[in-house]
Amino acid sequence: MSGEPRPVPRPTPETLPYWEATRRRELVRHRCDGCGAGSQHPRAICACGSTDLTWTRCTGRGRLFSYVVVHRPEPVFADEAPFVLAIVELEEGVRMTTRIVDVPADPSALPLDMDVELRWLELGDVNLPVFAPARPEGS
Amino acid sequence: MDAVIIGAAETDVLGRAPGRSVLGLNVEGGLRALADAGLETGQIDGVAGACSPHGVAHALGITPRWVDSTNVGGCSFLMHVRHAAAAIAAGHATRVLITHGESGRSRTGTVPRPRDPQSWTGQFEEPYGARPPYTRFTLPALRHLHDNGLDETALAQVVVAQRRWSSRVPRAGRRDLMTVDEVLAARPVAWPFTVPMVCMLTDGGGGLVVTAPEHATTEQLRRSVRVLGTGESSDPLLVAQAPDPAGDSAARRAADDAFAEARIARSEIGHVMVYDAFAHLPPIGLECLGLAPAGGAAEMIAAGETSPGGSLPLNTNGGGLAYTHTGMYGMFAIQEAVRQLRHEAAAQVPGVSTSAVLGYGGMFTASSVLVLARN
């Protein structure tokens, strides 16, 4: 193990509401009131030029878009290997880098387009949004 | 576009050179390119590079009228060629020296890259364990395979094809032929990627001299390579937000501009270099270049079309996977294209007269394309 601490996100003024929402275990995204476009990652201004951006809560449901199973992580993540680093496409149509948890790090358990749902990883002052295979409806 | 490359050379050592600093490798690459062109430093009035071109100019005793320090990762050097051609056309410089040097393996004279937890990657990628390129650049690969009905065998085929080239190249770092089964059975780095599907990590460098024909001698023009067309573009900073890398991406936009400027058809291209930090990039790159039908590049590679004797020779030095990869491979992709067009390559393609070079940078965040021809 290296002496380097696990990387923790440090918010900027633009991203602070996003990370504050994670403390309440809410996943939010920016929606532009000007053009209606969505962005998973906070931004000060929309590509359309509008600064009318509204924080809106995501459902936390999505699908597994792509992934790798990390076998050789940086030393600070060595205890967690192998782990599943993924791109999830949210129901709202935006994509984010995340982890897939609560499932073996085995491709046979990780078909692409699998339904996933939000989980939280506690990380200092913030919570990290991660995903797990979705439970069947009503369970 | 009326620019020519009149000097091109690599450092003596590609691989492990702990006794050379980043600056030292840049200087060696620059001096070797000048010697190749038959030029003195006093004849250079423009400098470009991704690592302190003004520092390189000072070290070489060059007083520049024009400096370009564009650094968008591995494809930076393709952009330097494009920017140099424009500067020469505008009269801002007559002869531009582009250098690269990187101590990717030994880390000698390398500025450490600290974590920035306020950056986009620091907030939205690194906390998940996504920082080394093999955990970020690789992320869209499975999607690309899946959408085209392919599996990891397609990645292994890329390694098999490129080893057929590198096995003929004495300076290549990985020269053993491999089978698909051997590639798939190798140690996993980030599944579906095994070690041979991931680029090498080396020390090395190189240089290029770009000018216009009216500033070159007959002797310089005899071995020169013409820059027919160029293109560049960029994509979002976070890999999750990139459009489908095989679809409307920076690489496709750069390729469309380069071919429009070059005024030649895709069918006229006889040689291709695609930046291959990882094994999914050659097929995706061929499709972005418009040299393979969407979703059809893997089949071409598996069928041997990009291997020696095939219809579209690709990464003929072995690529970043098997030749060398210092961290920013673009310089070496250009060098191999120049050698092929000069008919001086170790694994020479007979009679080749045109080459397309595609570079990526900062994962999928930037891309640049050069269309080159034998002068």
Side-chain angles (χ1 to χ4, degrees), chain A residues 4 6-12 15 18-19 41-42 63 65-69 71-72 74 77 83 85 95-99 107 112-113 128-129, chain B residues 115 117-118 120 122-132 134-135 138-143 146 187-191 195 238-242:
Chain A
E4 196 173 14
R6 185 185 170 115
V8 175
R10 188 180 303 157
T12 58
T15 66
Y18 175 91
W19 291 113
H41 297 96
R63 66 175 180 127
F65 184 78
S66 198
Y67 67 92
V68 294
V69 180
H71 290 267
R72 284 173 59 186
E74 292 188 296
F77 294 102
F83 59 82
L85 197 60
R95 293 180 206 144
M96 58 185 289
T97 296
T98 184
R99 288 265 193 109
L112 286 198
D113 299 320
L128 212 53
Chain B
R115 287 187 189 279
Q118 285 196 310
W120 275 38
Q123 291 188 66
F124 300 109
E125 289 181 345
E126 290 180 25
Y128 294 102
R131 186 159 86 144
Y134 59 81
T135 61
T138 51
L139 266 179
L142 207 55
R143 186 81 236 172
H146 178 86
R187 201 153 49 96
V189 177
W191 184 91
V195 169
L238 296 168
V239 69
Q241 293 191 328

Side-chain angles (χ1 to χ4, degrees), chain B residues 317-353:
Chain B
N317 56 357
L321 296 180
Y323 181 68
T324 202
H325 197 301
T326 53
M328 290 192 276
Y329 168 75
M331 171 60 79
F332 303 100
I334 303 169
Q335 295 284 344
E336 173 63 10
V338 169
R339 287 192 294 265
Q340 287 286 347
L341 293 170
R342 286 172 161 182
H343 294 183
E344 296 172 356
Q348 181 64 46
V349 177
V352 67
S353 61

Side-chain angles (χ1 to χ4, degrees), chain B residues 349-362:
Chain B
V349 177
V352 67
S353 61
T354 52
S355 179
V357 186
L358 165 61
Y360 289 105

Side-chain angles (χ1 to χ4, degrees), chain B residues 227-286:
Chain B
V227 182
L228 291 184
T230 63
E232 67 187 61
S233 193
S234 66
D235 269 333
L237 284 174
L238 296 168
V239 69
Q241 293 191 328
D244 176 359
D248 176 25
S249 70
R252 189 171 291 274
R253 294 189 294 274
D256 286 348
D257 273 359
F259 277 101
E261 189 173 57
R263 298 178 187 214
I264 66 170
R266 261 74 166 182
S267 58
E268 294 179 63
I269 290 296
H271 172 258
V272 193
M273 298 299 292
V274 173
Y275 195 113
D276 58 330
F278 299 97
H280 60 315
L281 299 178
I284 289 174
L286 281 183

